[in-house]
Amino acid sequence: MRRTVLATTLLMLGTLVFDASSQLIGSEDGSSTAADKACQSLNETFPEIVSFPGSEQFADDVEHWTVSSQQNATCSVEPRDTSDVSAIMKLIGRPDIRAPFAVKSGGHSFNPGFSSTPGVQISLARLTDLVYDETQGTVTIGMGLTWTQVYEQLEPLGVMVTGGRINGVGVGGFSLGGGFSWKTNQYGLTIDTIVAHEVVLPSGQQVNVTNATEPDLFFALKGGLNNFGIVTKITLETHNQSLVYGGALTYSSGNLSQVNSAVSDFSQNNTDPKAQMVVTYVYTHNEVVALVFIFYDGPTPPAGIFDSLLAIPTVASEVKTQTFVNFVSTFVQVEQPVTGPFGDTQHVIPIVQYTQPLLDEMATQVQAFGANLTAQNNGSTVVVGAAPELFLNPFSHSRGGAYPHPPSREVTPAATYISYQTDPNLPFAAQSTKHALFVSELKQLSYNIQARAVSEGVSRWDDILYPNYALADSPLELLYGSNLERCKALAAKYDPQRVMSLTGGFYLGN
Ligand SMILES: Cc1cc2nc3c(=O)[nH]c(=O)nc-3n(C[C@H](O)[C@H](O)[C@H](O)COP(=O)(O)OP(=O)(O)OC[C@H]3O[C@@H](n4cnc5c(N)ncnc54)[C@H](O)[C@@H]3O)c2cc1C
Ligand SMILES: *[C@@H]1O[C@H](CO)[C@@H](O)[C@H](O)[C@H]1NC(C)=O
Ligand SMILES: *[C@@H]1O[C@H](CO)[C@@H](O)[C@H](O)[C@H]1NC(C)=O
Ligand SMILES: *[C@@H]1O[C@H](CO)[C@@H](O)[C@H](O)[C@H]1NC(C)=O
Ligand SMILES: *[C@@H]1O[C@H](CO)[C@@H](O)[C@H](O)[C@H]1NC(C)=O
Ligand SMILES: *[C@@H]1O[C@H](CO)[C@@H](O)[C@H](O)[C@H]1NC(C)=O
Ligand SMILES: *[C@@H]1O[C@H](CO)[C@@H](O)[C@H](O)[C@H]1NC(C)=O
Ligand SMILES: *[C@@H]1O[C@H](CO)[C@@H](O)[C@H](O)[C@H]1NC(C)=O
Ligand SMILES: *[C@@H]1O[C@H](CO)[C@@H](O)[C@H](O)[C@H]1NC(C)=O
Ligand SMILES: *[C@@H]1O[C@H](CO)[C@@H](O)[C@H](O)[C@H]1NC(C)=O
């Protein structure tokens, strides 16, 4: 039975998988000379920062949060500063080389090939400068830092920035795609708090970008991801930080309808921008549990905000008053529910508000897909999740940018995901085939949930998808909306040689 379902799905996917892998093999064959040539040249120019398979540095450079986003590059390089990045870009894009490459910051991309490559892996791990300017109320940070590393340095100074919510996420991809933060209700997305970028264009030219000096690039880099070169530093606004209140609450399946009632109440009635909630319905060990992260940006929440939720019996509760760094660090385990090496695929449903029937449907869909995929996978663990993120007027601080997030349509991301056990030594082509199966299931799960949201009037089929969560084949129209033509024109202007077509991502150059 299981084999039949699997075999049928594989047959349906057959053409796609064949095409994808032949393209992959084709490009690996066709470009192996380019990658070898680039790696030889890089090794001659920068022997001290280039690595090859087998070395520890190489292993670190290609490592990703999820195994399915990991690939065996030809070589890796760790630029020490902006000039190194510039020299590397010039070499990779040389007309006689044009090697496939990838840029990795925190390596948390869910899409295979977005920050991995069979060619030159550029790891920004050494770009870790952090300079706090107390007078301006800003901090300039290197794109190789993780948000937790930034928070750990800012906390003793009494200030914080609008960054990642969970341990380990990189500053790079996060801040070029949007950035939904615990601070978003109060200050906007991360891109709304960026006042300057330092970027190396695809040509290798270094540019300091502010709204005053480079308005086009300033717009483009706020959502344009890796289309406009490699960003080496960003300058962000800081805000004073006190102790915070919050943590994770876990509820068993029998209590979900009470939880959903409390969550929809919060979604529709909360008016305090310091309060936030992320709910995750997770299918694991044959049942759906709800993990609810609550956050209040102050030592104690005013009475009422979380009371109905806190009154429901929990399986586990880790809510307390604590430092911001402590709070963010507690989320490591819950986001990595599969022990051992795992593959992971994620997508997003754009939703403006959460009703109880919609939350119930999310849990029901997660249950159905979790049970089926577990049955199909022969006892190997599969985790299925859907995660509403409850913000309050998150786009009211919007300052524009390539990622459309107007106050007139505040679509927030509900993530859907599937995690599965896998073998890190599987060849990339075999891993891709396995991954494609889960991607196809994830699309169906997301479609089912969005259909319900659309029928409830809280989502539209043409609502913008958050690019940091969206699957790799999401249409550009759904990522950039009415900004798409301007974004494409800017990509043509800043990358006339189409150097960024040599890397993965939501490419604007076609
Ligand atoms: C555990 C976990 C928690 C998360 N939490 C949140 C959250 O709270 N809020 C949220 O909004 N998102 C969140 N995300 C999604 C996150 O924003 C994306 O996964 C993002 O891509 C991560 O950035 P990264 O630098 O770690 O990834 P990478 O894989 O290193 O990069 C992602 C993409 O950005 C490009 N890129 C990276 N750095 C640069 C650079 N300096 N210049 C040009 N291009 C660059 C890469 O080439 C790649 O295409 C989370 C993801 C995970 C896995
Ligand atoms: C890289 O360069 C060093 C010399 O600096 C050389 O010893 C090494 O063999 C080169 N590596 C490769 C894979 O070419
Ligand atoms: C990575 O590539 C190197 C060189 O081609 C090869 O020796 C090694 O076996 C590969 N590793 C994996 C995990 O595929
Ligand atoms: C960008 O700004 C930095 C810091 O002020 C400066 O060192 C650098 O030279 C500037 N780069 C360009 C290309 O102007
Ligand atoms: C932030 O803290 C500093 C130092 O304690 C203080 O001088 C300043 O007024 C505070 N700013 C705000 C907006 O609270
Ligand atoms: C609610 O959760 C508690 C704690 O996990 C559990 O003991 C109880 O049985 C649950 N209620 C139902 C109806 O399942
Ligand atoms: C919002 O609050 C009002 C007033 O307390 C209440 O009647 C309503 O049920 C709440 N909404 C939800 C979805 O719980
Ligand atoms: C689960 O599997 C059954 C039997 O194959 C099928 O009828 C049903 O549609 C599947 N449900 C989901 C959510 O995939
Ligand atoms: C499922 O289990 C059987 C029996 O142990 C094994 O032969 C088969 O390879 C497994 N299939 C998968 C996909 O793991
Ligand atoms: C950039 O400058 C323009 C023109 O002065 C202004 O309209 C716009 O709001 C500014 N954008 C940001 C993000 O500050």
Side-chain angles (χ1 to χ4, degrees):
M1 182 61 172
R2 180 199 59 78
R3 278 186 168 278
T4 314
V5 174
L6 242 169
T8 316
T9 319
L10 276 174
L11 270 179
M12 279 159 40
L13 280 172
T15 325
L16 185 68
V17 170
F18 179 78
D19 281 345
S21 52
S22 61
Q23 236 178 42
L24 188 90
I25 289 162
S27 89
E28 264 179 351
D29 277 359
S31 53
S32 68
T33 14
D36 285 341
K37 209 163 157 180
C39 288
Q40 287 309 321
S41 282
L42 284 169
N43 191 33
E44 277 158 27
T45 322
F46 297 119
E48 64 282 20
I49 56 170
V50 174
S51 310
F52 291 89
S55 80
E56 218 170 279
Q57 187 189 310
F58 178 86
D60 287 347
D61 292 346
V62 299
E63 188 180 20
H64 279 70
W65 180 76
T66 173
V67 166
S68 48
S69 291
Q70 199 157 297
Q71 230 172 320
N72 199 6
T74 303
C75 68
S76 69
V77 58
E78 288 187 5
R80 292 157 294 199
D81 54 26
T82 308
S83 321
D84 280 356
V85 173
S86 169
I88 293 164
M89 279 309 289
K90 283 181 184 158
L91 191 146
I92 283 172
R94 240 168 56 191
D96 63 320
I97 294 186
R98 292 188 69 87
F101 73 100
V103 184
K104 188 188 90 167
S105 168
H108 274 49
S109 175
F110 298 97
N111 288 319
F114 273 37
S115 51
S116 70
T117 176
V120 179
Q121 176 79 59
I122 302 172
S123 164
L124 305 181
R126 296 197 203 189
L127 303 184
T128 55
D129 285 355
L130 182 148
V131 179
Y132 175 50
D133 183 335
E134 195 180 349
T135 343
Q136 295 290 319
T138 60
V139 64
T140 299
I141 55 180
M143 290 301 240
L145 289 161
T146 65
W147 286 108
T148 315
Q149 290 169 335
V150 173
Y151 300 158
E152 280 167 351
Q153 293 182 69
L154 292 180
E155 194 157 84
L157 305 171
V159 295
M160 211 35 81
V161 287
T162 302
R165 280 172 298 190
I166 290 172
N167 216 16
V169 185
V171 168
F174 187 101
S175 70
L176 286 165
F180 283 89
S181 169
W182 295 118
K183 305 281 184 174
T184 287
N185 293 345
Q186 298 173 80
Y187 309 115
L189 303 178
T190 298
I191 54 174
D192 297 321
T193 68
I194 297 179
V195 297
H197 300 81
E198 184 180 89
V199 65
V200 173
L201 296 178
S203 63
Q205 187 193 341
Q206 299 174 37
V207 184
N208 286 334
V209 177
T210 64
N211 194 25
T213 59
E214 298 282 345
D216 278 346
L217 277 173
F218 193 69
F219 168 88
L221 292 173
K222 295 188 173 201
L225 286 160
N226 61 5
N227 276 283
F228 298 93
I230 302 180
V231 176
T232 49
K233 287 177 189 171
I234 53 173
T235 303
L236 296 164
E237 290 166 354
T238 59
H239 299 101
N240 287 358
Q241 185 63 57
S242 64
L243 289 177
V244 304
Y245 168 89
L249 298 155
T250 310
Y251 299 95
S252 64
S253 51
N255 290 297
L256 286 195
S257 79
Q258 280 170 275
V259 170
N260 292 351
S261 165
V263 171
S264 63
D265 188 359
F266 180 86
S267 174
Q268 285 165 44
N269 286 328
N270 173 51
T271 54
D272 188 336
K274 293 184 175 177
Q276 224 189 97
M277 199 183 276
V278 176
V279 182
T280 310
Y281 302 103
V282 201
Y283 179 90
T284 172
H285 301 104
N286 301 318
E287 69 160 336
V288 176
V289 301
L291 288 168
V292 183
F293 305 157
I294 59 174
F295 174 74
Y296 192 80
D297 199 4
T300 326
I305 293 188
F306 300 118
D307 291 1
S308 54
L309 194 65
L310 292 171
I312 305 165
T314 57
V315 180
S317 167
E318 289 158 23
V319 174
K320 60 182 180 199
T321 298
Q322 55 192 315
T323 66
F324 188 77
V325 168
N326 233 18
F327 171 75
V328 169
S329 306
T330 50
F331 296 133
V332 186
Q333 277 110 6
V334 280
E335 275 294 308
Q336 295 191 2
V338 181
T339 47
F342 65 102
D344 195 292
T345 182
Q346 177 163 322
H347 195 45
V348 58
I349 307 160
I351 292 178
V352 293
Q353 201 175 55
Y354 294 91
T355 60
Q356 173 146 17
L358 175 59
L359 296 168
D360 291 345
E361 177 71 3
M362 285 186 166
T364 302
Q365 290 289 336
V366 165
Q367 167 73 41
F369 278 79
N372 271 20
L373 289 173
T374 299
Q376 286 168 28
N377 272 273
N378 220 11
S380 140
T381 308
V382 179
V383 176
V384 177
E389 302 182 357
L390 292 90
F391 292 96
L392 178 66
N393 302 330
F395 297 173
S396 59
H397 305 272
S398 175
R399 295 183 192 163
Y403 170 51
H405 57 296
S408 57
R409 184 71 184 161
E410 302 197 287
V411 283
T412 61
T416 47
Y417 67 87
I418 300 176
S419 304
Y420 56 94
Q421 281 180 309
T422 194
D423 175 358
N425 297 314
L426 267 189
F428 188 71
Q431 174 59 44
S432 300
T433 307
K434 188 176 167 111
H435 192 72
L437 195 63
F438 291 105
V439 168
S440 138
E441 294 284 345
L442 184 68
K443 283 181 180 171
Q444 189 61 49
L445 170 69
S446 308
Y447 176 87
N448 292 359
I449 295 173
Q450 190 168 2
R452 183 54 179 253
V454 169
S455 79
E456 297 262 329
V458 294
S459 180
R460 296 197 303 238
W461 290 111
D462 65 350
D463 269 333
I464 296 296
L465 303 180
Y466 177 43
N468 275 345
Y469 289 2
L471 280 168
D473 62 356
S474 301
L476 292 177
E477 289 75 15
L478 287 184
L479 301 170
Y480 294 105
S482 58
N483 288 338
L484 182 57
E485 288 317 309
R486 182 175 177 197
C487 290
K488 283 184 163 181
L490 291 175
K493 175 179 169 188
Y494 288 103
D495 188 15
Q497 303 303 319
R498 299 167 47 84
V499 173
M500 302 318 281
S501 70
L502 299 167
T503 189
F506 295 117
Y507 185 53
L508 288 164
N510 287 327

